[in-house]
Amino acid sequence: MTKVTIKDIAKYAGVSATSVSFAFNNPNRLPEETVQRILEAAEHIGYVPNPVARSMSTGRTGTLGILVPQPITEIIRNPFLPEFLEGVGEVCTSAGFSLMIVPPLEGSMKRAIVEAAVDGFLTLGLEMFKVTMMVLHQRGVPYVMVDSDPAEGVPSVNIDDEGGAKAAMIHILEAGHRNITILGIRSGKEGRYQDYVGVLRNRIAGYILALQAFDLSMDDPRIRLIECASTARGGREGFKQLWAMSPRSTAVVAMSDVIALGVMSAAREAGVRLPKELSVIGFDDIPFADLVFPSLTTVSQPLRKKGKIAADLLVRFINGDIDAEHKVLPTKLIVRKSVAKLGQD
């Protein structure tokens, strides 16, 4: 089958090849009736634009990339992602962009950044260490940081992680719990919370502030920190570890809902009565949080709104509006049934 070209369209429509190119790539340069005639001609003779050729001529791919630090197989298991993507997708639909999830390529964030065919990146939970920053700057592509420490000259969107974490821990402490395990997201710091950065630093800071308000600290032997993967499996493994310790914790403060749900699943399998024997609180308020039994008390963050704001900032950046705004969205404690007062039946 012979491939149809723009020259064939030009001949059929009685216009120049340049006009055909304008019709597909910059229709505002042509009268509306001319554009319509060219598009009808293209459809009639079966022309399908080559996206690679088009991106070479326009310098645009029409795609936004979400740069994530985890493999695809791990990131898609987190119910956090669909809510965030819904907000991003709303902007993509209205602005005419496609969406690509960009994980490390063969373990390398550098390769992922260099090889992704996108017009800009949302960096999701990716701490901007020097190498990554350097590669993004060298490529010269716009990017917006989400859930990372803000950097000068780069738009960013975060939530009040510290305030949300503080509210979660205070809720646990007000219920009378003092033997508490914090299930933190795996950081590569081997539990050295003093070295945390970004979201993890802010959440642990919130927990510490709450503990201090009750004359407690991370040095108290009753307060434990265990790191695990931010997955249901990570939560299950974290539960097995904490439940083997003595004395047993009466409450778990999880840095993500998906970890909390993993804890609850493993606890039920072990015959632990929730929340009488073990209270659990999460962070995120993912859609499943109120569907489990007992329903999960958690910190709600506006996931969809965060995605929408971040994508809107990126599209504006791509289109030349490079005002480096730093947005911080509020969080809210959502009290459900997974936390009980100590000693309560």
Side-chain angles (χ1 to χ4, degrees):
M1 184 176 180
T2 304
K3 184 177 179 180
V4 178
T5 69
I6 63 172
K7 291 182 178 179
D8 298 319
I9 301 172
K11 183 177 180 180
Y12 190 91
V15 297
S16 68
T18 299
S19 294
V20 176
S21 179
F22 285 157
F24 284 103
N25 299 316
N26 198 356
N28 291 332
R29 299 188 63 173
L30 298 173
E32 184 177 344
E33 59 271 17
T34 303
V35 173
Q36 186 62 32
R37 186 166 81 250
I38 291 170
L39 296 179
E40 289 175 354
E43 182 178 2
H44 184 79
I45 63 178
Y47 173 72
V48 178
N50 184 327
V52 176
R54 183 177 182 181
S55 67
M56 290 177 66
S57 66
T58 64
R60 295 280 186 93
T61 65
T63 302
L64 303 184
I66 298 184
L67 195 63
V68 296
Q70 301 164 294
I72 286 284
T73 52
E74 185 170 330
I75 192 69
I76 63 174
R77 293 194 191 108
N78 195 332
F80 165 103
L81 189 63
E83 286 282 294
F84 178 79
L85 290 180
E86 190 172 345
V88 176
E90 188 175 332
V91 174
C92 287
T93 298
S94 62
F97 282 89
S98 298
L99 189 61
M100 177 189 297
I101 297 178
V102 185
L105 188 58
E106 296 180 353
S108 170
M109 291 307 304
K110 178 178 179 180
R111 284 197 60 191
I113 294 167
V114 170
E115 298 191 20
V118 299
D119 294 328
F121 287 108
L122 298 176
T123 69
L124 183 57
L126 183 68
E127 293 312 324
M128 295 289 100
F129 51 90
K130 291 183 179 179
V131 173
T132 305
M133 287 281 283
M134 181 179 66
V135 176
L136 284 166
H137 283 302
Q138 286 176 342
R139 176 162 175 184
V141 64
Y143 64 97
V144 173
M145 298 189 300
V146 181
D147 290 344
S148 296
D149 286 331
E152 186 177 352
V154 182
S156 65
V157 182
N158 290 286
I159 62 168
D160 181 13
D161 286 292
E162 182 177 303
K166 181 180 178 181
M169 183 63 80
I170 284 179
H171 185 69
I172 290 293
L173 293 166
E174 287 181 340
H177 298 278
R178 296 298 181 269
N179 289 303
I180 302 167
T181 293
I182 298 169
L183 277 184
I185 297 170
R186 187 170 293 153
S187 66
K189 307 296 184 182
E190 304 300 328
R192 298 187 305 275
Y193 65 88
Q194 299 89 344
D195 297 333
Y196 284 173
V197 295
V199 170
L200 302 192
R201 182 197 61 233
N202 294 333
R203 291 190 186 179
I204 204 74
Y207 298 148
I208 290 172
L209 285 174
L211 290 169
Q212 289 173 344
F214 284 76
D215 296 322
L216 295 168
S217 74
M218 294 293 290
D219 295 327
D220 191 306
R222 296 172 295 177
I223 309 299
R224 304 185 180 113
L225 171 63
I226 297 174
E227 292 189 358
C228 60
S230 189
T231 62
R233 178 180 295 179
R236 292 172 66 87
E237 293 172 351
F239 168 79
K240 292 176 183 177
Q241 187 174 345
L242 72 90
W243 208 240
M245 295 177 175
S246 182
R248 284 176 171 170
S249 294
T250 62
V252 170
V253 178
M255 277 196 185
S256 74
D257 280 355
V258 69
I259 290 175
L261 296 181
V263 169
M264 294 172 70
S265 175
R268 281 192 296 268
E269 288 182 6
V272 177
R273 292 172 295 173
L274 301 172
K276 182 177 181 180
E277 293 180 284
L278 184 67
S279 290
V280 181
I281 194 166
F283 201 115
D284 288 333
D285 198 24
I286 60 177
F288 302 128
D290 64 345
L291 300 179
V292 296
F293 183 82
S295 55
L296 181 64
T297 294
T298 186
V299 176
S300 177
Q301 63 160 305
L303 290 168
R304 179 175 176 177
K305 183 178 180 180
K306 182 164 68 173
K308 184 176 180 180
I309 289 174
D312 182 65
L313 284 172
L314 182 56
V315 169
R316 286 164 49 194
F317 200 169
I318 290 170
N319 290 331
D321 181 356
I322 56 174
D323 183 19
E325 297 182 59
H326 301 302
K327 303 277 190 178
V328 179
L329 306 179
T331 55
K332 181 181 180 182
L333 180 68
I334 305 296
V335 178
R336 296 192 179 106
K337 302 295 185 180
S338 65
V339 175
K341 290 186 179 296
L342 195 62
Q344 176 179 296
D345 291 334

